[in-house]
Amino acid sequence: MVSSPRAPDPYQTAQAQSGMNRDTALTQQAVNMTDQVTPYGNLTYNKTGESSFVDSNGKTVTTPTYTATTTLSPEQQAILNQSNSAALGLGKLANQQIGSITDQLSKPFEYTTSDAENYAYNLGKERLDPLYNQQADQLKSQLIASGIRPGTAAYNQQMTQLSQAKNDSYTQLALGAQQQGYQQALATYNNPINTISALTSGSQVTNPNFVSTPQTGVGGVDYTGLVNNQYNQQVAQSNAMAGGLFGLLGSGLTAGIKYSDRRLKENVRRVGWLDNGLPVYSYNLIGSPVFELGVMADEVETIHPEAVHTQPNGIKMVDYQRATEAA
């Protein structure tokens, strides 16, 4: 019989594959961590410790940990220090201003139109009254010159129209003053708030921009595939050996006498056993590239001494017909 190769242990294979994958990952990480040097600063990677975890087999696995450090050039560091100082100052000033508007924010925004109307009326009185008085005098003179006397319907109608135009001017002035006054009051109310908002905008924290680590791919080892391929090859070789052995057994009756002295053979490897217990070997005769299957004469002597023939030169030959018989 020919011994078949043992199938690989899936757990051992998976464990070995996991270890190789981890080795590949660590190698890839080390290759990827390339230090960078620029006119504005440097980026360096340093091993700073280790981390560990328990894998699926209950074993503790330790891996290295690294730290990426960004160092600015002296000029860029000075600029950063000044910017940070300015931003910190603006933040402190904004915090101080918050206290000054606490009372203001606790009260709702209010606006009274009467102040704006009175201001507009007083302003209009200084400019509109002289203008309309002059127009009234001119209108009176024109009406009298036209024969339209005071107290008549036509006279009163013209003077009423002039008075209405004057009222419309005052009304328009009042409305414009209300809108303008509202905008001014609102701006005055919001001005402290806008000031603080501007101060806090100038003191915002800037998030650091990290440089992406360049990626270099490292192909993993398909250890599981290699183990399976080796096993398949061993099975194929074993089957081939078995075929050769069966051929040996089948042809044992006609094989005749062969040289089977151990001293004539090299690359000897046991591949199976005959039914009578004799080991069967794969070998090649010294100087020959052809591999053969056969037995060893010294071992045949232990169960079938009659099958062994010793030549005058001391070399032993085996009669395979007798050697393959049952013990």
Side-chain angles (χ1 to χ4, degrees), residues 2-316:
V2 177
S3 59
S4 299
R6 176 181 295 181
D9 187 333
Y11 292 101
Q12 293 180 353
T13 302
Q15 186 176 3
Q17 180 69 73
S18 177
M20 291 183 180
N21 290 343
R22 184 165 56 251
D23 294 342
T24 300
L26 294 176
T27 302
Q28 182 169 344
Q29 182 185 28
V31 173
N32 289 340
M33 292 186 299
T34 304
D35 293 346
Q36 303 178 36
V37 179
T38 72
Y40 305 102
N42 303 330
L43 177 67
T44 57
Y45 297 91
N46 297 289
K47 180 182 177 182
T48 54
E50 294 179 339
S51 63
S52 60
F53 64 93
V54 179
D55 65 9
S56 58
N57 296 310
K59 295 183 179 180
T60 301
V61 179
T62 302
T63 58
T65 57
Y66 297 86
T67 299
T69 303
T70 301
T71 304
L72 296 177
S73 66
E75 296 79 9
Q76 293 298 318
Q77 186 64 51
I79 294 174
L80 178 62
N81 293 340
Q82 292 293 333
S83 299
N84 289 341
S85 179
L88 181 60
L90 290 175
K92 290 181 178 180
L93 183 59
N95 190 50
Q96 294 173 357
Q97 293 297 319
I98 290 177
S100 64
I101 65 171
T102 301
D103 293 338
Q104 177 178 332
L105 294 177
S106 64
K107 300 176 183 179
F109 172 71
E110 295 181 356
Y111 172 68
T112 303
T113 61
S114 59
D115 294 337
E117 293 175 356
N118 293 333
Y119 173 77
Y121 178 80
N122 293 330
L123 181 62
K125 186 174 182 181
E126 295 178 358
R127 301 194 60 182
L128 294 179
D129 283 357
L131 177 62
Y132 279 104
N133 289 338
Q134 182 180 1
Q135 290 180 359
D137 292 340
Q138 292 176 352
L139 181 58
K140 289 177 182 180
S141 299
Q142 292 175 359
L143 291 175
I144 293 174
S146 300
I148 301 175
R149 310 300 297 179
T152 62
Y155 182 90
N156 292 337
Q157 182 181 5
Q158 292 294 324
M159 297 304 296
T160 299
Q161 290 178 355
L162 179 61
S163 177
Q164 289 176 347
K166 179 180 179 180
N167 290 335
D168 290 342
S169 297
Y170 270 104
T171 300
Q172 187 66 31
L173 182 62
L175 292 176
Q178 290 178 5
Q179 183 65 26
Q180 184 177 1
Y182 174 81
Q183 295 295 335
Q184 290 177 347
L186 183 61
T188 301
Y189 181 85
N190 289 333
N191 185 59
I193 301 176
N194 293 336
T195 300
I196 293 178
S197 178
L199 292 173
T200 54
S201 298
S203 61
Q204 291 179 350
V205 176
T206 301
N207 292 324
N209 295 322
F210 296 107
V211 179
S212 299
T213 301
Q215 298 298 310
T216 302
V218 177
V221 177
D222 186 11
Y223 180 76
T224 302
L226 294 176
V227 170
N228 288 332
N229 289 339
Q230 183 185 37
Y231 173 68
N232 292 333
Q233 291 175 0
Q234 290 174 346
V235 170
Q237 185 177 8
S238 175
N239 292 337
M241 291 293 184
L245 178 59
F246 294 148
L248 173 65
L249 295 176
S251 62
L253 297 177
T254 60
I257 300 175
K258 289 184 177 182
Y259 283 104
S260 295
D261 198 300
R262 189 184 299 269
R263 293 169 291 179
L264 301 177
K265 303 174 181 180
E266 62 181 358
N267 298 317
V268 178
R269 185 167 68 89
R270 189 175 61 188
V271 297
W273 296 266
L274 295 176
D275 291 339
N276 60 13
L278 282 176
V280 178
Y281 298 92
S282 168
Y283 59 88
N284 63 289
L285 296 177
I286 297 175
S288 172
V290 180
F291 277 84
E292 302 178 8
L293 291 176
V295 295
M296 296 295 174
D298 58 302
E299 294 177 345
V300 174
E301 287 180 322
T302 61
I303 61 173
H304 282 300
E306 73 282 0
V308 179
H309 303 276
T310 304
Q311 301 300 309
N313 58 3
I315 300 300
K316 296 180 179 181

